[in-house]
Amino acid sequence: GYFPFADESFDHVECSHVIEHVRSPVRLMEESWRVLKVGGTLRVKTPHYSHWTRWGDPTHYHHFGSHALKHFATEGSTVYYKCSYSLTSLYLRCSALPARLFKALLGQERFERSFAKFFPIREIIAEFRKEPM
């Protein structure tokens, strides 16, 4: 495997500002699934594509919105992968007060879709649970 650990070794895997740096996010998600115990959790934190820090690091290979991460917890996703997750939480972290207010009023999904270009989202924090295949 990609990670030097046996299958189903961990209850939790933390990927804090990692997924945007790897060439294959799908492989990272698959390997995280492999080393997690069934019911284990994976937390992924990554800069949101709308935030300026996202584009300022030349080691970032990928730019994420919440819709990209949701693929890993969606049956019938258009992305092929060998893992099965359920999405237990998704949080879009905003720094600016106007962004936080609009997000609270509109809800995260609508805010991201319609207003992130005006009020950037700093970070996505998604938590997944490993489901059996």
Side-chain angles (χ1 to χ4, degrees), residues 28-92:
L28 177 69
M29 294 296 284
E30 289 173 339
E31 274 297 290
S32 297
W33 185 87
R34 183 184 67 78
V35 301
L36 276 170
K37 296 174 184 174
V38 173
T41 56
L42 165 66
R43 182 176 302 149
V44 176
K45 292 181 183 181
T46 185
H48 190 269
Y49 70 82
S50 66
H51 199 264
W52 69 270
T53 56
R54 181 71 195 111
W55 301 94
D57 187 335
T59 66
H60 288 177
Y61 291 110
H62 302 281
H63 309 280
F64 290 92
S66 66
H67 55 281
L69 294 175
K70 287 178 183 177
H71 274 287
F72 294 102
T74 304
E75 271 192 50
S77 171
T78 57
V79 176
Y80 176 75
Y81 51 85
K82 294 181 261 177
C83 55
S84 179
Y85 290 105
S86 56
L87 186 64
T88 57
S89 68
L90 182 93
Y91 180 69
L92 302 176

Side-chain angles (χ1 to χ4, degrees), residues 96-120:
L97 180 60
R100 293 196 316 262
L101 291 172
F102 273 111
K103 188 178 76 156
L105 289 170
L106 300 170
Q108 290 191 131
E109 191 173 323
R110 188 168 171 211
F111 174 79
E112 181 182 27
R113 193 174 54 246
S114 302
F115 291 95
K117 59 185 157 260
F118 305 111
F119 301 104

